Amino acid sequence: MPPPRLVRAMERARHVIGSVHRRTAPPAATMLEMIIGAWRAQGIAVAADLKVADALADGPLTADELARRVGADPDALARLMRALISEGIFTRKGNRFALNALGETLRSDAPMSMAGMARMVGHPQYREHWSGLVDAVRTGEAYPPKLRGMGSWEWLETQPEFAAIFNDAMTSVSEFAVEPVIAAYDFSPFVTIVDVGGGHGRLLSAILAATPGARGVLYDLPQVVEGAPELLRRYGVADRVQVEGGSFLDAVPEGGDAYVMKNVIHDWPDAESLTILKNVRDAAKPGDTLLLVEFVIPEHDRAFIGKWADMEMLVQVAARERTADEYGKLYEQAGFRLTRVVPTAAPISLVEGRAV
Ligand SMILES: C[S@@+](CC[C@H](N)C(=O)[O-])C[C@H]1O[C@@H](n2cnc3c(N)ncnc32)[C@H](O)[C@@H]1O
C-alpha cells in the first residue's frame, strides 16, 4: 500500500500537469474531451459487460479470437479496443490484445474488480437516474422517486437484474477501501468493535484479522445480516463476531468501545444522519471512539472523486458527501468530539471522534 502522502503528492503533480495542459490547449478542445468522458465510461462498461478482461485472462488474443470468445463483431470490437488502449486500458502484443494493470481491474474475479461499478454506470436504468441531475440541482431533491414513483431502495427491490449489478458495484467500491483503511489506522487498542451498517461484514472481517485480540459486532438490517455468516466464516473470524439485525434509525447495539460506519452517513441527509449518530451516542459510553469511513471533501479545488460521489448522492437519494467541518458539526450535535481525520492511500478517510 503506497503511503497516503506519496499518493497525495502525485495527485498534486497530476493537477499541475493538467492545468498546464489546459492552459496550452484550446479551451473548447479541453471541454470537448471532458464532455466525452461519458463515451469513455460507456466504452469501459461495454468491455465489462462483454467480459473482455475475463476472455484475455488466459493470454493475448487477436481481434477475431477475442470477438468469438465474447460474442462481438470483430471490427467493432477492435475499434473499441483501440479506444480503450488509448486510455491505458488493455495493451497490444503484436497483433493481439492483452491485459495490463488497468485491464485486470475489469476481470470479474479480480481482487478489487471494478467490473461491477463499470457495468452499473453504463446501465440504461442508472443513466436514466443521472439524466435527472438537472432536476436534482434545480430542486435539491432526488430524481429516482420522480421517475419511478418510489424511492431508490424500494425500486431496487423490484429490479433483480439491475440489483445484482448494483450489489456487485457496491462490493467493488467497498473492497477497494478495505486494505487502505487497515493500513492507515491502528485498531489494536479496541476490545469490541461495532460495525454499524456493516453489510455482510467485509470491513469488520479485515479489521478483526488485523486485530487478533478484538471482538466484533456486525449490525445491519435483518435481511442483510442474514447473508453475513458465510463471509465471516470465509475470513476466519465468525467465532469472534456477534451478528445483530435491526435499524440504526431506531437503535444501535451497546457494548462497543469503537463504533465504525463505512459509507453509511453519506447515504443520508443531515436530519437522518443526526438520528443515526445520536443512536450511536446513546449506545456508546463517554470516551468511546466513533470512526466514520467516508470520502471527506477536501477544502481545495483540485480534482477529488468524492466531489462527483456527492453528485451521485444528490441525484439518487438527496444525501451528500461532507467536509471535515461538516462532519465536525454533526459530531458536536450528536454528542461526539471530532479528534482527527486520518487519510488513507485511497480517496477515503477515517473521521475519528470520541463520545463526550
Ligand atoms: C453503502 S452501504 C455500506 C455497507 C458497508 N458499510 C460497506 O462499506 O461496505 C450502506 C449500508 O447501510 C445499511 N442500512 C441501510 N439502512 C439501514 C438501517 N435503517 N439500519 C441498518 N442498516 C441500514 C445497508 O443495508 C447497507 O449495508
PDB file of all heavy atoms in Angstrom, residues 189-210:
ATOM      1  N   PRO A 189      -6.020  -0.962  19.926  1.00  0.00           N
ATOM      2  CA  PRO A 189      -6.445  -0.588  21.283  1.00  0.00           C
ATOM      3  C   PRO A 189      -7.886  -1.022  21.628  1.00  0.00           C
ATOM      4  O   PRO A 189      -8.263  -0.984  22.794  1.00  0.00           O
ATOM      5  CB  PRO A 189      -6.362   0.947  21.292  1.00  0.00           C
ATOM      6  CG  PRO A 189      -5.465   1.298  20.160  1.00  0.00           C
ATOM      7  CD  PRO A 189      -5.661   0.224  19.140  1.00  0.00           C
ATOM      8  N   PHE A 190      -8.677  -1.436  20.632  1.00  0.00           N
ATOM      9  CA  PHE A 190     -10.096  -1.689  20.904  1.00  0.00           C
ATOM     10  C   PHE A 190     -10.362  -3.155  21.272  1.00  0.00           C
ATOM     11  O   PHE A 190      -9.737  -4.064  20.748  1.00  0.00           O
ATOM     12  CB  PHE A 190     -10.952  -1.309  19.685  1.00  0.00           C
ATOM     13  CG  PHE A 190     -10.744   0.111  19.251  1.00  0.00           C
ATOM     14  CD1 PHE A 190     -10.309   0.399  17.968  1.00  0.00           C
ATOM     15  CD2 PHE A 190     -10.955   1.164  20.142  1.00  0.00           C
ATOM     16  CE1 PHE A 190     -10.094   1.714  17.566  1.00  0.00           C
ATOM     17  CE2 PHE A 190     -10.745   2.477  19.748  1.00  0.00           C
ATOM     18  CZ  PHE A 190     -10.312   2.752  18.463  1.00  0.00           C
ATOM     19  N   VAL A 191     -11.326  -3.321  22.169  1.00  0.00           N
ATOM     20  CA  VAL A 191     -11.711  -4.664  22.615  1.00  0.00           C
ATOM     21  C   VAL A 191     -12.922  -5.150  21.812  1.00  0.00           C
ATOM     22  O   VAL A 191     -12.957  -6.282  21.336  1.00  0.00           O
ATOM     23  CB  VAL A 191     -12.053  -4.640  24.130  1.00  0.00           C
ATOM     24  CG1 VAL A 191     -12.524  -6.006  24.600  1.00  0.00           C
ATOM     25  CG2 VAL A 191     -10.855  -4.165  24.939  1.00  0.00           C
ATOM     26  N   THR A 192     -13.914  -4.256  21.667  1.00  0.00           N
ATOM     27  CA  THR A 192     -15.124  -4.627  20.922  1.00  0.00           C
ATOM     28  C   THR A 192     -15.437  -3.548  19.886  1.00  0.00           C
ATOM     29  O   THR A 192     -15.680  -2.389  20.235  1.00  0.00           O
ATOM     30  CB  THR A 192     -16.333  -4.789  21.878  1.00  0.00           C
ATOM     31  OG1 THR A 192     -15.965  -5.730  22.892  1.00  0.00           O
ATOM     32  CG2 THR A 192     -17.554  -5.297  21.149  1.00  0.00           C
ATOM     33  N   ILE A 193     -15.437  -3.982  18.632  1.00  0.00           N
ATOM     34  CA  ILE A 193     -15.661  -3.037  17.523  1.00  0.00           C
ATOM     35  C   ILE A 193     -17.031  -3.325  16.922  1.00  0.00           C
ATOM     36  O   ILE A 193     -17.296  -4.448  16.473  1.00  0.00           O
ATOM     37  CB  ILE A 193     -14.549  -3.206  16.465  1.00  0.00           C
ATOM     38  CG1 ILE A 193     -13.180  -2.857  17.091  1.00  0.00           C
ATOM     39  CG2 ILE A 193     -14.819  -2.339  15.246  1.00  0.00           C
ATOM     40  CD1 ILE A 193     -12.002  -3.493  16.392  1.00  0.00           C
ATOM     41  N   VAL A 194     -17.912  -2.316  16.940  1.00  0.00           N
ATOM     42  CA  VAL A 194     -19.253  -2.492  16.376  1.00  0.00           C
ATOM     43  C   VAL A 194     -19.260  -1.857  14.989  1.00  0.00           C
ATOM     44  O   VAL A 194     -18.974  -0.664  14.847  1.00  0.00           O
ATOM     45  CB  VAL A 194     -20.329  -1.815  17.265  1.00  0.00           C
ATOM     46  CG1 VAL A 194     -21.724  -2.113  16.726  1.00  0.00           C
ATOM     47  CG2 VAL A 194     -20.201  -2.272  18.719  1.00  0.00           C
ATOM     48  N   ASP A 195     -19.572  -2.652  13.957  1.00  0.00           N
ATOM     49  CA  ASP A 195     -19.659  -2.107  12.599  1.00  0.00           C
ATOM     50  C   ASP A 195     -21.140  -1.858  12.310  1.00  0.00           C
ATOM     51  O   ASP A 195     -21.924  -2.794  12.145  1.00  0.00           O
ATOM     52  CB  ASP A 195     -19.041  -3.090  11.592  1.00  0.00           C
ATOM     53  CG  ASP A 195     -18.858  -2.444  10.221  1.00  0.00           C
ATOM     54  OD1 ASP A 195     -19.382  -1.329  10.006  1.00  0.00           O
ATOM     55  OD2 ASP A 195     -18.192  -3.063   9.367  1.00  0.00           O
ATOM     56  N   VAL A 196     -21.503  -0.592  12.282  1.00  0.00           N
ATOM     57  CA  VAL A 196     -22.911  -0.191  12.143  1.00  0.00           C
ATOM     58  C   VAL A 196     -23.207   0.016  10.654  1.00  0.00           C
ATOM     59  O   VAL A 196     -22.549   0.825   9.999  1.00  0.00           O
ATOM     60  CB  VAL A 196     -23.167   1.117  12.944  1.00  0.00           C
ATOM     61  CG1 VAL A 196     -24.617   1.548  12.793  1.00  0.00           C
ATOM     62  CG2 VAL A 196     -22.792   0.929  14.408  1.00  0.00           C
ATOM     63  N   GLY A 197     -24.203  -0.715  10.129  1.00  0.00           N
ATOM     64  CA  GLY A 197     -24.452  -0.671   8.681  1.00  0.00           C
ATOM     65  C   GLY A 197     -23.313  -1.376   7.964  1.00  0.00           C
ATOM     66  O   GLY A 197     -22.871  -0.956   6.894  1.00  0.00           O
ATOM     67  N   GLY A 198     -22.840  -2.466   8.568  1.00  0.00           N
ATOM     68  CA  GLY A 198     -21.624  -3.143   8.093  1.00  0.00           C
ATOM     69  C   GLY A 198     -21.856  -4.133   6.969  1.00  0.00           C
ATOM     70  O   GLY A 198     -20.930  -4.852   6.596  1.00  0.00           O
ATOM     71  N   GLY A 199     -23.060  -4.194   6.428  1.00  0.00           N
ATOM     72  CA  GLY A 199     -23.342  -5.110   5.312  1.00  0.00           C
ATOM     73  C   GLY A 199     -23.098  -6.545   5.719  1.00  0.00           C
ATOM     74  O   GLY A 199     -23.585  -6.995   6.762  1.00  0.00           O
ATOM     75  N   HIS A 200     -22.332  -7.279   4.913  1.00  0.00           N
ATOM     76  CA  HIS A 200     -22.038  -8.682   5.232  1.00  0.00           C
ATOM     77  C   HIS A 200     -20.785  -8.825   6.090  1.00  0.00           C
ATOM     78  O   HIS A 200     -20.350  -9.935   6.368  1.00  0.00           O
ATOM     79  CB  HIS A 200     -21.881  -9.494   3.945  1.00  0.00           C
ATOM     80  CG  HIS A 200     -23.192  -9.724   3.255  1.00  0.00           C
ATOM     81  ND1 HIS A 200     -23.290 -10.341   2.033  1.00  0.00           N
ATOM     82  CD2 HIS A 200     -24.456  -9.414   3.620  1.00  0.00           C
ATOM     83  CE1 HIS A 200     -24.565 -10.398   1.678  1.00  0.00           C
ATOM     84  NE2 HIS A 200     -25.290  -9.844   2.616  1.00  0.00           N
ATOM     85  N   GLY A 201     -20.157  -7.686   6.448  1.00  0.00           N
ATOM     86  CA  GLY A 201     -19.041  -7.757   7.400  1.00  0.00           C
ATOM     87  C   GLY A 201     -17.672  -7.804   6.768  1.00  0.00           C
ATOM     88  O   GLY A 201     -16.713  -8.231   7.409  1.00  0.00           O
ATOM     89  N   ARG A 202     -17.544  -7.348   5.514  1.00  0.00           N
ATOM     90  CA  ARG A 202     -16.228  -7.419   4.858  1.00  0.00           C
ATOM     91  C   ARG A 202     -15.193  -6.564   5.602  1.00  0.00           C
ATOM     92  O   ARG A 202     -14.087  -7.018   5.872  1.00  0.00           O
ATOM     93  CB  ARG A 202     -16.367  -6.972   3.392  1.00  0.00           C
ATOM     94  CG  ARG A 202     -15.070  -6.924   2.632  1.00  0.00           C
ATOM     95  CD  ARG A 202     -14.433  -8.301   2.505  1.00  0.00           C
ATOM     96  NE  ARG A 202     -13.096  -8.206   1.930  1.00  0.00           N
ATOM     97  CZ  ARG A 202     -11.966  -8.235   2.640  1.00  0.00           C
ATOM     98  NH1 ARG A 202     -12.006  -8.370   3.952  1.00  0.00           N
ATOM     99  NH2 ARG A 202     -10.801  -8.143   2.046  1.00  0.00           N
ATOM    100  N   LEU A 203     -15.558  -5.311   5.933  1.00  0.00           N
ATOM    101  CA  LEU A 203     -14.579  -4.450   6.620  1.00  0.00           C
ATOM    102  C   LEU A 203     -14.286  -4.998   8.014  1.00  0.00           C
ATOM    103  O   LEU A 203     -13.130  -5.077   8.439  1.00  0.00           O
ATOM    104  CB  LEU A 203     -15.097  -3.008   6.725  1.00  0.00           C
ATOM    105  CG  LEU A 203     -14.170  -2.057   7.495  1.00  0.00           C
ATOM    106  CD1 LEU A 203     -12.851  -1.869   6.753  1.00  0.00           C
ATOM    107  CD2 LEU A 203     -14.828  -0.710   7.743  1.00  0.00           C
ATOM    108  N   LEU A 204     -15.343  -5.406   8.723  1.00  0.00           N
ATOM    109  CA  LEU A 204     -15.150  -5.927  10.083  1.00  0.00           C
ATOM    110  C   LEU A 204     -14.229  -7.148  10.054  1.00  0.00           C
ATOM    111  O   LEU A 204     -13.343  -7.292  10.917  1.00  0.00           O
ATOM    112  CB  LEU A 204     -16.507  -6.278  10.702  1.00  0.00           C
ATOM    113  CG  LEU A 204     -16.475  -6.689  12.171  1.00  0.00           C
ATOM    114  CD1 LEU A 204     -15.916  -5.564  13.055  1.00  0.00           C
ATOM    115  CD2 LEU A 204     -17.870  -7.082  12.666  1.00  0.00           C
ATOM    116  N   SER A 205     -14.387  -8.008   9.061  1.00  0.00           N
ATOM    117  CA  SER A 205     -13.516  -9.190   8.953  1.00  0.00           C
ATOM    118  C   SER A 205     -12.061  -8.770   8.810  1.00  0.00           C
ATOM    119  O   SER A 205     -11.175  -9.345   9.445  1.00  0.00           O
ATOM    120  CB  SER A 205     -13.878 -10.027   7.721  1.00  0.00           C
ATOM    121  OG  SER A 205     -15.182 -10.472   7.828  1.00  0.00           O
ATOM    122  N   ALA A 206     -11.815  -7.766   7.973  1.00  0.00           N
ATOM    123  CA  ALA A 206     -10.432  -7.313   7.753  1.00  0.00           C
ATOM    124  C   ALA A 206      -9.876  -6.677   9.031  1.00  0.00           C
ATOM    125  O   ALA A 206      -8.712  -6.906   9.378  1.00  0.00           O
ATOM    126  CB  ALA A 206     -10.378  -6.317   6.600  1.00  0.00           C
ATOM    127  N   ILE A 207     -10.710  -5.918   9.734  1.00  0.00           N
ATOM    128  CA  ILE A 207     -10.241  -5.280  10.977  1.00  0.00           C
ATOM    129  C   ILE A 207      -9.883  -6.368  11.994  1.00  0.00           C
ATOM    130  O   ILE A 207      -8.833  -6.330  12.625  1.00  0.00           O
ATOM    131  CB  ILE A 207     -11.329  -4.339  11.569  1.00  0.00           C
ATOM    132  CG1 ILE A 207     -11.570  -3.150  10.637  1.00  0.00           C
ATOM    133  CG2 ILE A 207     -10.933  -3.855  12.962  1.00  0.00           C
ATOM    134  CD1 ILE A 207     -12.721  -2.244  11.072  1.00  0.00           C
ATOM    135  N   LEU A 208     -10.757  -7.365  12.139  1.00  0.00           N
ATOM    136  CA  LEU A 208     -10.518  -8.410  13.143  1.00  0.00           C
ATOM    137  C   LEU A 208      -9.325  -9.294  12.759  1.00  0.00           C
ATOM    138  O   LEU A 208      -8.559  -9.722  13.625  1.00  0.00           O
ATOM    139  CB  LEU A 208     -11.780  -9.254  13.355  1.00  0.00           C
ATOM    140  CG  LEU A 208     -12.955  -8.501  13.992  1.00  0.00           C
ATOM    141  CD1 LEU A 208     -14.155  -9.421  14.149  1.00  0.00           C
ATOM    142  CD2 LEU A 208     -12.595  -7.885  15.337  1.00  0.00           C
ATOM    143  N   ALA A 209      -9.149  -9.516  11.459  1.00  0.00           N
ATOM    144  CA  ALA A 209      -7.985 -10.306  11.026  1.00  0.00           C
ATOM    145  C   ALA A 209      -6.699  -9.576  11.404  1.00  0.00           C
ATOM    146  O   ALA A 209      -5.705 -10.197  11.764  1.00  0.00           O
ATOM    147  CB  ALA A 209      -8.052 -10.544   9.521  1.00  0.00           C
ATOM    148  N   ALA A 210      -6.746  -8.228  11.359  1.00  0.00           N
ATOM    149  CA  ALA A 210      -5.541  -7.441  11.689  1.00  0.00           C
ATOM    150  C   ALA A 210      -5.424  -7.188  13.195  1.00  0.00           C
ATOM    151  O   ALA A 210      -4.420  -6.663  13.652  1.00  0.00           O
ATOM    152  CB  ALA A 210      -5.591  -6.101  10.950  1.00  0.00           C
TER     153      ALA A 210
END
